[in-house]
mmCIF file of all heavy atoms in Angstrom:
data_model
loop_
_atom_site.group_PDB
_atom_site.id
_atom_site.type_symbol
_atom_site.label_atom_id
_atom_site.label_comp_id
_atom_site.label_asym_id
_atom_site.label_seq_id
_atom_site.Cartn_x
_atom_site.Cartn_y
_atom_site.Cartn_z
ATOM 1 N N ASP Z 11 131.648 78.436 94.905
ATOM 2 C CA ASP Z 11 132.890 79.208 94.864
ATOM 3 C C ASP Z 11 132.608 80.673 94.518
ATOM 4 O O ASP Z 11 133.165 81.585 95.131
ATOM 5 C CB ASP Z 11 133.863 78.588 93.858
ATOM 6 C CG ASP Z 11 135.213 79.267 93.872
ATOM 7 O OD1 ASP Z 11 135.849 79.304 94.945
ATOM 8 O OD2 ASP Z 11 135.637 79.757 92.798
ATOM 9 N N MET Z 12 131.720 80.892 93.549
ATOM 10 C CA MET Z 12 131.354 82.258 93.173
ATOM 11 C C MET Z 12 130.713 82.983 94.363
ATOM 12 O O MET Z 12 131.066 84.120 94.674
ATOM 13 C CB MET Z 12 130.383 82.251 91.992
ATOM 14 C CG MET Z 12 129.914 83.631 91.558
ATOM 15 S SD MET Z 12 128.556 83.610 90.358
ATOM 16 C CE MET Z 12 127.156 83.344 91.450
ATOM 17 N N VAL Z 13 129.790 82.315 95.035
ATOM 18 C CA VAL Z 13 129.107 82.927 96.184
ATOM 19 C C VAL Z 13 130.118 83.229 97.292
ATOM 20 O O VAL Z 13 130.089 84.309 97.894
ATOM 21 C CB VAL Z 13 127.957 82.027 96.695
ATOM 22 C CG1 VAL Z 13 127.364 82.578 97.988
ATOM 23 C CG2 VAL Z 13 126.877 81.884 95.625
ATOM 24 N N GLU Z 14 131.030 82.298 97.535
ATOM 25 C CA GLU Z 14 132.025 82.525 98.582
ATOM 26 C C GLU Z 14 132.930 83.708 98.264
ATOM 27 O O GLU Z 14 133.220 84.535 99.140
ATOM 28 C CB GLU Z 14 132.879 81.279 98.800
ATOM 29 C CG GLU Z 14 133.883 81.446 99.918
ATOM 30 C CD GLU Z 14 134.665 80.190 100.237
ATOM 31 O OE1 GLU Z 14 134.311 79.106 99.733
ATOM 32 O OE2 GLU Z 14 135.648 80.305 100.999
ATOM 33 N N LYS Z 15 133.356 83.830 97.014
ATOM 34 C CA LYS Z 15 134.221 84.953 96.639
ATOM 35 C C LYS Z 15 133.504 86.289 96.780
ATOM 36 O O LYS Z 15 134.126 87.291 97.096
ATOM 37 C CB LYS Z 15 134.730 84.767 95.212
ATOM 38 C CG LYS Z 15 135.810 83.713 95.116
ATOM 39 C CD LYS Z 15 136.304 83.526 93.712
ATOM 40 C CE LYS Z 15 137.404 82.474 93.718
ATOM 41 N NZ LYS Z 15 137.640 81.894 92.421
ATOM 42 N N ARG Z 16 132.209 86.293 96.549
ATOM 43 C CA ARG Z 16 131.455 87.539 96.606
ATOM 44 C C ARG Z 16 130.935 87.871 98.004
ATOM 45 O O ARG Z 16 130.767 89.043 98.340
ATOM 46 C CB ARG Z 16 130.288 87.487 95.624
ATOM 47 C CG ARG Z 16 130.752 87.456 94.184
ATOM 48 C CD ARG Z 16 129.605 87.401 93.230
ATOM 49 N NE ARG Z 16 130.087 87.335 91.852
ATOM 50 C CZ ARG Z 16 129.286 87.320 90.801
ATOM 51 N NH1 ARG Z 16 127.976 87.368 90.969
ATOM 52 N NH2 ARG Z 16 129.793 87.256 89.594
ATOM 53 N N HIS Z 17 130.628 86.842 98.794
ATOM 54 C CA HIS Z 17 129.937 87.080 100.060
ATOM 55 C C HIS Z 17 130.612 86.449 101.271
ATOM 56 O O HIS Z 17 130.190 86.730 102.396
ATOM 57 C CB HIS Z 17 128.500 86.555 99.981
ATOM 58 C CG HIS Z 17 127.702 87.158 98.877
ATOM 59 N ND1 HIS Z 17 127.203 88.436 98.926
ATOM 60 C CD2 HIS Z 17 127.325 86.651 97.674
ATOM 61 C CE1 HIS Z 17 126.539 88.693 97.804
ATOM 62 N NE2 HIS Z 17 126.595 87.629 97.037
ATOM 63 N N GLY Z 18 131.565 85.564 101.063
ATOM 64 C CA GLY Z 18 132.261 84.931 102.176
ATOM 65 C C GLY Z 18 131.763 83.529 102.482
ATOM 66 O O GLY Z 18 130.654 83.137 102.098
ATOM 67 N N ALA Z 19 132.594 82.792 103.223
ATOM 68 C CA ALA Z 19 132.300 81.395 103.545
ATOM 69 C C ALA Z 19 131.082 81.256 104.452
ATOM 70 O O ALA Z 19 130.294 80.305 104.301
ATOM 71 C CB ALA Z 19 133.520 80.744 104.191
ATOM 72 N N ASP Z 20 130.889 82.172 105.390
ATOM 73 C CA ASP Z 20 129.732 82.092 106.283
ATOM 74 C C ASP Z 20 128.425 82.232 105.500
ATOM 75 O O ASP Z 20 127.431 81.567 105.811
ATOM 76 C CB ASP Z 20 129.802 83.168 107.372
ATOM 77 C CG ASP Z 20 130.884 82.884 108.402
ATOM 78 O OD1 ASP Z 20 131.329 81.719 108.510
ATOM 79 O OD2 ASP Z 20 131.289 83.834 109.101
ATOM 80 N N PHE Z 21 128.434 83.084 104.491
ATOM 81 C CA PHE Z 21 127.249 83.276 103.656
ATOM 82 C C PHE Z 21 126.920 81.984 102.912
ATOM 83 O O PHE Z 21 125.748 81.615 102.785
ATOM 84 C CB PHE Z 21 127.492 84.431 102.682
ATOM 85 C CG PHE Z 21 126.258 84.916 101.980
ATOM 86 C CD1 PHE Z 21 125.485 85.918 102.531
ATOM 87 C CD2 PHE Z 21 125.871 84.373 100.765
ATOM 88 C CE1 PHE Z 21 124.345 86.373 101.886
ATOM 89 C CE2 PHE Z 21 124.738 84.825 100.110
ATOM 90 C CZ PHE Z 21 123.967 85.826 100.674
ATOM 91 N N VAL Z 22 127.952 81.300 102.401
ATOM 92 C CA VAL Z 22 127.740 80.009 101.726
ATOM 93 C C VAL Z 22 127.086 79.034 102.694
ATOM 94 O O VAL Z 22 126.111 78.350 102.343
ATOM 95 C CB VAL Z 22 129.064 79.441 101.169
ATOM 96 C CG1 VAL Z 22 128.883 77.996 100.692
ATOM 97 C CG2 VAL Z 22 129.582 80.308 100.043
ATOM 98 N N ASP Z 23 127.610 78.959 103.913
ATOM 99 C CA ASP Z 23 127.018 78.078 104.920
ATOM 100 C C ASP Z 23 125.554 78.440 105.170
ATOM 101 O O ASP Z 23 124.707 77.546 105.328
ATOM 102 C CB ASP Z 23 127.798 78.154 106.233
ATOM 103 C CG ASP Z 23 129.179 77.525 106.147
ATOM 104 O OD1 ASP Z 23 129.423 76.723 105.207
ATOM 105 O OD2 ASP Z 23 130.021 77.850 107.011
ATOM 106 N N ASP Z 24 125.259 79.724 105.186
ATOM 107 C CA ASP Z 24 123.882 80.170 105.421
ATOM 108 C C ASP Z 24 122.939 79.717 104.306
ATOM 109 O O ASP Z 24 121.840 79.226 104.591
ATOM 110 C CB ASP Z 24 123.820 81.691 105.550
ATOM 111 C CG ASP Z 24 124.480 82.206 106.823
ATOM 112 O OD1 ASP Z 24 124.676 81.413 107.769
ATOM 113 O OD2 ASP Z 24 124.815 83.409 106.854
ATOM 114 N N ILE Z 25 123.352 79.876 103.049
ATOM 115 C CA ILE Z 25 122.428 79.470 101.970
ATOM 116 C C ILE Z 25 122.302 77.947 101.899
ATOM 117 O O ILE Z 25 121.245 77.434 101.545
ATOM 118 C CB ILE Z 25 122.772 80.091 100.595
ATOM 119 C CG1 ILE Z 25 124.079 79.567 100.030
ATOM 120 C CG2 ILE Z 25 122.724 81.604 100.636
ATOM 121 C CD1 ILE Z 25 124.282 79.880 98.556
ATOM 122 N N ILE Z 26 123.366 77.239 102.250
ATOM 123 C CA ILE Z 26 123.262 75.774 102.304
ATOM 124 C C ILE Z 26 122.268 75.377 103.394
ATOM 125 O O ILE Z 26 121.394 74.526 103.181
ATOM 126 C CB ILE Z 26 124.643 75.125 102.522
ATOM 127 C CG1 ILE Z 26 125.482 75.245 101.238
ATOM 128 C CG2 ILE Z 26 124.508 73.660 102.932
ATOM 129 C CD1 ILE Z 26 126.934 74.829 101.393
ATOM 130 N N GLU Z 27 122.371 76.018 104.551
ATOM 131 C CA GLU Z 27 121.445 75.725 105.648
ATOM 132 C C GLU Z 27 120.016 76.085 105.267
ATOM 133 O O GLU Z 27 119.079 75.327 105.532
ATOM 134 C CB GLU Z 27 121.866 76.493 106.898
ATOM 135 C CG GLU Z 27 121.050 76.136 108.125
ATOM 136 C CD GLU Z 27 121.552 76.853 109.368
ATOM 137 O OE1 GLU Z 27 122.776 76.833 109.598
ATOM 138 O OE2 GLU Z 27 120.708 77.420 110.082
ATOM 139 N N ASP Z 28 119.839 77.234 104.619
ATOM 140 C CA ASP Z 28 118.507 77.667 104.189
ATOM 141 C C ASP Z 28 117.881 76.698 103.184
ATOM 142 O O ASP Z 28 116.657 76.608 103.090
ATOM 143 C CB ASP Z 28 118.569 79.048 103.530
ATOM 144 C CG ASP Z 28 118.942 80.166 104.491
ATOM 145 O OD1 ASP Z 28 118.963 79.936 105.719
ATOM 146 O OD2 ASP Z 28 119.238 81.271 103.991
ATOM 147 N N SER Z 29 118.705 75.986 102.430
ATOM 148 C CA SER Z 29 118.237 75.156 101.314
ATOM 149 C C SER Z 29 117.755 73.775 101.720
ATOM 150 O O SER Z 29 117.071 73.115 100.932
ATOM 151 C CB SER Z 29 119.347 75.014 100.276
ATOM 152 O OG SER Z 29 119.695 76.276 99.758
ATOM 153 N N HIS Z 30 118.136 73.290 102.905
ATOM 154 C CA HIS Z 30 117.712 71.961 103.369
ATOM 155 C C HIS Z 30 118.001 70.888 102.319
ATOM 156 O O HIS Z 30 117.097 70.203 101.835
ATOM 157 C CB HIS Z 30 116.226 71.951 103.754
ATOM 158 C CG HIS Z 30 115.862 73.035 104.717
ATOM 159 N ND1 HIS Z 30 116.251 73.015 106.045
ATOM 160 C CD2 HIS Z 30 115.184 74.197 104.537
ATOM 161 C CE1 HIS Z 30 115.802 74.103 106.638
ATOM 162 N NE2 HIS Z 30 115.158 74.845 105.761
ATOM 163 N N LEU Z 31 119.249 70.741 101.953
ATOM 164 C CA LEU Z 31 119.682 69.860 100.876
ATOM 165 C C LEU Z 31 119.887 68.422 101.356
ATOM 166 O O LEU Z 31 120.483 68.200 102.415
ATOM 167 C CB LEU Z 31 120.997 70.377 100.285
ATOM 168 C CG LEU Z 31 120.987 71.843 99.838
ATOM 169 C CD1 LEU Z 31 122.394 72.323 99.555
ATOM 170 C CD2 LEU Z 31 120.083 72.008 98.632
ATOM 171 N N SER Z 32 119.440 67.477 100.548
ATOM 172 C CA SER Z 32 119.638 66.072 100.921
ATOM 173 C C SER Z 32 121.120 65.703 100.925
ATOM 174 O O SER Z 32 121.544 64.838 101.689
ATOM 175 C CB SER Z 32 118.862 65.151 99.973
ATOM 176 O OG SER Z 32 119.301 65.308 98.642
ATOM 177 N N SER Z 33 121.920 66.371 100.115
ATOM 178 C CA SER Z 33 123.358 66.106 100.075
ATOM 179 C C SER Z 33 124.096 66.798 101.220
ATOM 180 O O SER Z 33 125.268 66.538 101.442
ATOM 181 C CB SER Z 33 123.953 66.600 98.754
ATOM 182 O OG SER Z 33 123.960 68.021 98.727
ATOM 183 N N GLY Z 34 123.421 67.682 101.899
ATOM 184 C CA GLY Z 34 124.064 68.469 102.941
ATOM 185 C C GLY Z 34 124.923 69.594 102.394
ATOM 186 O O GLY Z 34 125.608 70.281 103.139
ATOM 187 N N GLY Z 35 124.910 69.774 101.073
ATOM 188 C CA GLY Z 35 125.699 70.844 100.454
ATOM 189 C C GLY Z 35 127.148 70.477 100.248
ATOM 190 O O GLY Z 35 127.980 71.344 99.998
ATOM 191 N N SER Z 36 127.447 69.200 100.322
ATOM 192 C CA SER Z 36 128.812 68.723 100.096
ATOM 193 C C SER Z 36 128.892 68.161 98.677
ATOM 194 O O SER Z 36 128.272 67.134 98.380
ATOM 195 C CB SER Z 36 129.156 67.645 101.126
ATOM 196 O OG SER Z 36 130.458 67.182 100.927
ATOM 197 N N TYR Z 37 129.643 68.846 97.823
ATOM 198 C CA TYR Z 37 129.704 68.483 96.405
ATOM 199 C C TYR Z 37 131.143 68.245 95.967
ATOM 200 O O TYR Z 37 132.063 68.891 96.463
ATOM 201 C CB TYR Z 37 129.113 69.608 95.536
ATOM 202 C CG TYR Z 37 127.701 69.970 95.897
ATOM 203 C CD1 TYR Z 37 127.420 71.148 96.584
ATOM 204 C CD2 TYR Z 37 126.648 69.133 95.576
ATOM 205 C CE1 TYR Z 37 126.117 71.483 96.926
ATOM 206 C CE2 TYR Z 37 125.347 69.462 95.920
ATOM 207 C CZ TYR Z 37 125.091 70.631 96.583
ATOM 208 O OH TYR Z 37 123.807 70.956 96.927
ATOM 209 N N THR Z 38 131.295 67.330 95.009
ATOM 210 C CA THR Z 38 132.568 67.168 94.316
ATOM 211 C C THR Z 38 132.334 67.498 92.857
ATOM 212 O O THR Z 38 131.223 67.304 92.335
ATOM 213 C CB THR Z 38 133.113 65.727 94.421
ATOM 214 O OG1 THR Z 38 132.223 64.831 93.748
ATOM 215 C CG2 THR Z 38 133.284 65.308 95.877
ATOM 216 N N ALA Z 39 133.349 67.966 92.185
ATOM 217 C CA ALA Z 39 133.202 68.378 90.782
ATOM 218 C C ALA Z 39 132.754 67.234 89.889
ATOM 219 O O ALA Z 39 132.042 67.445 88.911
ATOM 220 C CB ALA Z 39 134.507 68.976 90.272
ATOM 221 N N VAL Z 40 133.139 66.005 90.200
ATOM 222 C CA VAL Z 40 132.812 64.871 89.331
ATOM 223 C C VAL Z 40 131.545 64.141 89.768
ATOM 224 O O VAL Z 40 131.098 63.229 89.079
ATOM 225 C CB VAL Z 40 133.991 63.874 89.239
ATOM 226 C CG1 VAL Z 40 135.189 64.533 88.585
ATOM 227 C CG2 VAL Z 40 134.345 63.312 90.599
ATOM 228 N N GLY Z 41 130.965 64.529 90.886
ATOM 229 C CA GLY Z 41 129.742 63.881 91.354
ATOM 230 C C GLY Z 41 128.534 64.301 90.540
ATOM 231 O O GLY Z 41 128.595 65.206 89.703
ATOM 232 N N THR Z 42 127.436 63.630 90.776
ATOM 233 C CA THR Z 42 126.166 63.957 90.132
ATOM 234 C C THR Z 42 125.132 64.174 91.231
ATOM 235 O O THR Z 42 125.036 63.362 92.158
ATOM 236 C CB THR Z 42 125.719 62.817 89.191
ATOM 237 O OG1 THR Z 42 126.735 62.601 88.204
ATOM 238 C CG2 THR Z 42 124.412 63.162 88.497
ATOM 239 N N TYR Z 43 124.365 65.259 91.107
ATOM 240 C CA TYR Z 43 123.433 65.659 92.158
ATOM 241 C C TYR Z 43 122.110 66.101 91.525
ATOM 242 O O TYR Z 43 122.076 66.523 90.367
ATOM 243 C CB TYR Z 43 124.027 66.808 92.982
ATOM 244 C CG TYR Z 43 125.399 66.465 93.507
ATOM 245 C CD1 TYR Z 43 126.545 66.816 92.788
ATOM 246 C CD2 TYR Z 43 125.547 65.742 94.682
ATOM 247 C CE1 TYR Z 43 127.815 66.468 93.246
ATOM 248 C CE2 TYR Z 43 126.810 65.394 95.152
ATOM 249 C CZ TYR Z 43 127.935 65.759 94.429
ATOM 250 O OH TYR Z 43 129.186 65.400 94.877
ATOM 251 N N PRO Z 44 121.029 66.043 92.300
ATOM 252 C CA PRO Z 44 119.740 66.482 91.768
ATOM 253 C C PRO Z 44 119.763 67.977 91.423
ATOM 254 O O PRO Z 44 120.234 68.793 92.224
ATOM 255 C CB PRO Z 44 118.755 66.215 92.910
ATOM 256 C CG PRO Z 44 119.465 65.348 93.884
ATOM 257 C CD PRO Z 44 120.933 65.568 93.681
ATOM 258 N N HIS Z 45 119.247 68.303 90.258
ATOM 259 C CA HIS Z 45 119.223 69.714 89.849
ATOM 260 C C HIS Z 45 118.351 70.543 90.785
ATOM 261 O O HIS Z 45 118.521 71.753 90.899
ATOM 262 C CB HIS Z 45 118.758 69.854 88.395
ATOM 263 C CG HIS Z 45 117.280 69.722 88.209
ATOM 264 N ND1 HIS Z 45 116.636 68.517 88.161
ATOM 265 C CD2 HIS Z 45 116.325 70.667 88.069
ATOM 266 C CE1 HIS Z 45 115.344 68.706 88.005
ATOM 267 N NE2 HIS Z 45 115.128 70.005 87.941
ATOM 268 N N THR Z 46 117.448 69.890 91.493
ATOM 269 C CA THR Z 46 116.595 70.603 92.432
ATOM 270 C C THR Z 46 117.412 71.238 93.556
ATOM 271 O O THR Z 46 116.985 72.231 94.141
ATOM 272 C CB THR Z 46 115.529 69.660 93.018
ATOM 273 O OG1 THR Z 46 116.181 68.498 93.568
ATOM 274 C CG2 THR Z 46 114.535 69.229 91.945
#
Side-chain angles (χ1 to χ4, degrees):
D11 185 58
M12 178 190 81
V13 173
E14 183 175 349
K15 285 180 179 161
R16 293 180 182 182
H17 302 285
D20 289 341
F21 192 90
V22 170
D23 290 342
D24 291 341
I25 67 166
I26 288 171
E27 186 176 312
D28 293 349
S29 299
H30 308 288
L31 307 168
S32 61
S33 71
S36 180
Y37 303 106
T38 64
V40 296
T42 302
Y43 307 93
H45 78 280
T46 53

